[in-house]
Amino acid sequence: MSNDRLIYLPLGGAGEIGMNAYVYGYGPAGKERLILVDIGVAFPDMETTPGVDLIFADVSWLVKNKKRLEAVFITHAHEDHVGAIGHLYERLGAPVIHTRAFTANIARGKLAEYGVGDHAVTTASVWPATTKAGPFTVGFLPISHSIPESSALVIDTPQGRIIHTGDFKLDLNPLVGEAFDEELWREVSKPGVKALICDSTNIFSPNPGRSESEVGPEVQTLIAEAKGMLVATTFASNVARVRTLAEAGERAGRSICLMGRAMRRMVEASLETGVLTRFPKVVSTEEAREIPRENLMLIVTGSQGERRAASAQLARGKFHGMQMQEGDTFLFSSKTIPGNEKGVIAIMNAFSEQGVDVIDDSNGRYHVSGHANRPDLEKMQDVVNPQMVIPMHGEHRHLREHAKMTLAKGRAAVVCVNGMMLDLSGNQPKVAEYIESGRTYLDGSVQIGAMDGIVRDRIRMALNGHVTVTFVLDEQDEPLGEPWCDLMGLPETGRSKSPLTDVLEQDLSQFIGRADAKTLMNDAKLEEALRRVVRNTSQDEIGKKPEVTVVISRLSA
Amino acid sequence: MSNDRLIYLPLGGAGEIGMNAYVYGYGPAGKERLILVDIGVAFPDMETTPGVDLIFADVSWLVKNKKRLEAVFITHAHEDHVGAIGHLYERLGAPVIHTRAFTANIARGKLAEYGVGDHAVTTASVWPATTKAGPFTVGFLPISHSIPESSALVIDTPQGRIIHTGDFKLDLNPLVGEAFDEELWREVSKPGVKALICDSTNIFSPNPGRSESEVGPEVQTLIAEAKGMLVATTFASNVARVRTLAEAGERAGRSICLMGRAMRRMVEASLETGVLTRFPKVVSTEEAREIPRENLMLIVTGSQGERRAASAQLARGKFHGMQMQEGDTFLFSSKTIPGNEKGVIAIMNAFSEQGVDVIDDSNGRYHVSGHANRPDLEKMQDVVNPQMVIPMHGEHRHLREHAKMTLAKGRAAVVCVNGMMLDLSGNQPKVAEYIESGRTYLDGSVQIGAMDGIVRDRIRMALNGHVTVTFVLDEQDEPLGEPWCDLMGLPETGRSKSPLTDVLEQDLSQFIGRADAKTLMNDAKLEEALRRVVRNTSQDEIGKKPEVTVVISRLSA
């Protein structure tokens, strides 16, 4: 019997929606040859990651084992699947990257920012074409989603076939890209599928998903009734939606103007790669400014309330010479991702102040999801008929519910989260090992670890404010003047109505006056003592304990 | 003709949902005698108000005019209506406070924290009882909401009757407290109502609101099926819901344990004031620990994911000796207020990791709103038949939509936001003046202004990190040693792989070495120059510009 095993190891995406990174391996334990499926980002927030630019899966394990990495396969071009490719390419040992043309176009753009040439990405053809990668043979099996050329991966291993769905929905008329082809999927599954590694995003949505083609008629009706300028936002990567919006505008006799870099980039990539063969004529913002507003439609970025995107800019006032006004209409052809509500609502209120009618998706007319709902996930299992299902692309609650649903259907399933290495060799998935997993932050231009304490310190300063205490002594440990304080993010006065700085400096001076030589000699002791004075006095004066930096300066002659 | 005018001035609550504070006045312009309706809080978030404890309306205008303030009337005991009463009582000149018994109980608790005695609050009887307050005669008109004894105010003025709805829904069977009594409302409105100042929260909800009584049967069915321990959370102030949950548990043979201070406080206040005459027997947490989990039901605080509340504590592990486990059920009998999604979802996932089944309100079975939906708001107008409607208790988009709906019904309406003083004397509301309005933060024990820059500085430190530069010179402006740096919230190394502190100190030293005497003499100039060095070098090394505190110390002999 062979000693080889087939492993599955999520490093990101299993326990959150975002930063997808899934490893498959085959070979002797600890010497498996590896492939990586997707390498995406997650987005920071002020609550947990202030100042951070992007979040990736911690790929330290993969970096340590980069010599075993045969290739990277990217299922589709959403940021949470491809967004980290540029940032991590070198650390991963410049692996071969396989993906389809549209995704390749986007991935090459990201690699170019790091000076990596186009050759790094190999453009893949779809199934039945396949690519060898060590012990694996991998094929791209088209599936509908909310971005062009999304693909499942058919991963043939010495121990059988695996299907990794990527993100998907079962759309028979997705408008752009391939429809869900049930016959093809049945055919691919016929030889028997060992494991289905499956999207879990919409496991809690009880009704079958709706087709992208349902949005168009609703948008057309809306546009026909709009009086002033019409502005619509959606996810820029949903090229089908962007075209639906643009075509509805065109049909209503409006000129179309795309605003926001991502919006133009995605349409460009679609045209360059032949994903789109037709897109309504667009006008530049310069041209748009000359067009009567009732004849104009803007399609803009920023459906999630992002501060720098076009919709937020328009909410704040003029953007590239365009400005909303009373009688205009703004359409969110999108849903708000949990966590983004406040930003989106702020934009809605800003438009309301401008007299703009804001229409969102609360009635379900102007947006459909890109993910399979519960009945669609059941159908997928029925079509593929896998031996086991490993839920992925979900928070823990999604994975758990998806596993429960699978077990209820009489199939093997397990909740597998980031860092949990499964051995898929047998008839049941088994936990093989736990790998240290986590998050890496892109902070400015530097990659830092989530557990480094850097962001924790920033959060503390945000919550508590900051005091710098400076104290100078001479060579004989004699104070040269009094300690003094610089405050940041703290009230000027507190309980005693005297300036907080003065109160702190008085208490520090008193402490120094009483301090013995032993304390004054010892930097660590002195620092701790001065910090304690500041924190206690502050608690008393203003009811909070600030972060304190103590700078002790010992002068030598 | 009289020179007197009737004014309405929202200081909070008109342009947001939260920190309600509405002023009415009557008399000669600038000399109106005033009453204040409600004095609530809003809640801070990490995004905009890190470290802040509570937010109130900026009542500076009212403080300046406190001699004109006849009384404060509180419509109901929700925090956004009564929460600031203790914090602002003295600043407002210790005004007379009128409210109904249950709200009075809560208000007195808040005042007691500031050492104010119970006499400060006068308990009001309901309509037809009234209270004189300067030129006003005010009556409490019961209306259903999601807390006991919510009341509209009937404000009789020399220029006619005003009805201020407070928060409300049209519930014919609210289980606790008075049902909406259409006959009574018609009778009160019969003499003619000049202005209806009306809740706008649910203007975007298209269907008639549902009764509190619809929740009970659903919860009973759920509890009947639950196997392990059952834990339910809801808004503690929704006493009817808390009792519904407790009764459903009792009926299923479970012992009831209330966890979380607010939960116990609200039930206590209800029993003390006779709002509740019956509540199932509750057990203490000590007793609960001895009861088999399948016979136990906890009702806990923290439906909004608040970090310190009982539900979050249970999500993190043991709380008062209680711990969730596989097979238990957790019910959110609540909706998630926009902005709280991440916190709530984090709790759901933590429970999922514990093997707990989490049930939320996504199917609409286990929660009903406390606010009137669009058809209910229309019905309210039909019943009251006011001359004009002033939407309140809403973000701008709610106020605007509510005003549009009113205008479409042929009534006068205006979008009136915080700081906009309306003259209601004529047949149409007219803008009289704009008053400076805004927000006050309770930060630890200190009240600070939202525009003071204190919180802005904290946000900057959270986004950018902080560097302290210390530099000592002697009396002759000669440097005593090199400048040095202390970093907080910044990566240790950047582009050059050397410690960032070292790189910064080298560049600072170089700068000092080249600096002329004029720069070294001038504190402001030197400080600015050192700050610039730090920011530029950091940008180069780590791709971000930190906040910088420069401490220049000039020693004298």
Side-chain angles (χ1 to χ4, degrees), chain A residues 15 43-48 50-53 204 307 326-327 338-342 345 348-349 351-358 360 362 395-398 400-401 404 443-446 448 453-455 457-466 468 470 472 480-481 484 486-495 538-544 547-556, chain B residues 15 43-48 50-53 204 307 326-327 338-342 345 348-349 351-358 360 362 395-398 400-401 404 443-446 448 453-455 457-466 468 470 472 480-481 484 486-495 538-544 547-556:
Chain A
F43 295 99
D45 59 42
M46 188 68 190
E47 186 100 17
T48 58
V52 169
D53 293 281
F204 289 110
R307 274 191 64 75
E326 178 97 36
N340 296 339
E341 288 79 4
K342 282 205 170 180
I345 287 173
M348 288 180 172
N349 282 314
F351 284 140
S352 178
E353 287 177 30
Q354 296 170 4
V356 172
D357 290 323
V358 176
D360 67 11
S362 52
E395 300 163 9
H396 194 282
R397 61 194 176 119
H398 300 108
R400 180 166 180 267
E401 184 69 15
K404 276 172 76 173
D443 189 52
S445 54
V446 181
I448 61 179
I454 294 165
V455 170
D457 282 351
R458 284 193 217 145
I459 291 174
R460 285 188 180 161
M461 288 191 288
L463 293 175
N464 307 324
H466 182 260
T468 304
T470 311
V472 188
L480 292 171
W484 71 96
D486 292 82
L487 275 51
M488 196 159 190
L490 290 165
E492 281 177 23
T493 58
R495 201 173 54 86
S538 296
Q539 177 64 39
D540 193 40
E541 278 289 306
I542 60 167
K544 63 198 301 172
E547 301 308 300
V548 184
T549 298
V550 178
V551 183
I552 297 170
S553 160
R554 294 183 189 274
L555 293 186
S556 47
Chain B
F43 294 100
D45 58 42
M46 188 68 190
E47 186 101 17
T48 58
V52 169
D53 293 280
F204 289 111
R307 275 190 64 76
E326 178 97 36
N340 296 340
E341 287 79 3
K342 283 205 170 180
I345 287 174
M348 288 179 172
N349 282 313
F351 284 140
S352 178
E353 287 175 31
Q354 296 170 4
V356 172
D357 290 323
V358 176
D360 68 10
S362 53
E395 299 164 9
H396 194 281
R397 61 194 175 118
H398 299 106
R400 182 168 179 265
E401 184 69 15
K404 278 171 77 173
D443 188 53
S445 55
V446 181
I448 61 179
I454 294 164
V455 170
D457 283 351
R458 282 193 217 146
I459 291 173
R460 286 188 180 161
M461 287 192 288
L463 294 174
N464 307 323
H466 183 261
T468 303
T470 312
V472 187
L480 291 171
W484 71 96
D486 291 83
L487 275 51
M488 195 159 191
L490 290 166
E492 279 177 27
T493 58
R495 202 173 53 85
S538 297
Q539 177 64 39
D540 194 40
E541 278 289 307
I542 59 167
K544 63 197 302 170
E547 302 306 301
V548 185
T549 298
V550 179
V551 182
I552 297 170
S553 160
R554 294 183 189 274
L555 294 185
S556 47

